[in-house]
Amino acid sequence: MIPAPGRTLTDLAMRLMLGIAPQTTTTFAAADCGLIAQLLLTMGQEFERAVDTRMQDIHELKALFGTAPADAARARFMGATPASLHLRDVNALHDEGMQLLAILHAQAEADDAALNARIWAFLRAHSERHKFETLG
């Protein structure tokens, strides 16, 4: 068992950046270490928050869909829950909601300015929730 996987990924990234990259003999190797380290850092962040951020999105999507004209697919989504809290199951429901949002957004852009504004507000909150913190 790894008790703190997010922290472990961060520690590995820092070891690459501060211990291994400076000892490489080529610029390419140093840059490659830096890229891998940054990817490990983002993986650590995502590991710690993945289920929570997606569940927040799902909750907000359900509320948003409740303000939209009735639709069978959105109604089914509004009553759905992930099959489990494994990331793959949460992702499956999240992906479904985002696909339904894209369809609704196309309709709202054409004929419902208020709904379009609510969708953009969701998208802003979504992007803030999912952004990564970087070192530089």
Side-chain angles (χ1 to χ4, degrees), residues 17-29:
M17 281 192 288
L18 302 175
I20 297 171
Q23 295 181 32
T24 59
T25 58
T26 67
T27 304
F28 173 80

Side-chain angles (χ1 to χ4, degrees), residues 51-68:
V51 171
D52 183 58
T53 54
R54 285 159 182 78
M55 292 303 294
Q56 286 180 57
D57 287 345
I58 290 166
H59 176 74
E60 288 183 18
L61 283 167
K62 288 179 178 186
L64 178 63
F65 292 165
T67 69

Side-chain angles (χ1 to χ4, degrees), residues 31-51:
D32 203 32
C33 280
L35 175 62
I36 292 168
Q38 188 61 51
L39 290 171
L40 285 169
L41 288 171
T42 58
M43 286 175 61
Q45 288 176 44
E46 189 66 5
F47 180 88
E48 293 296 329
R49 69 179 188 194
V51 171

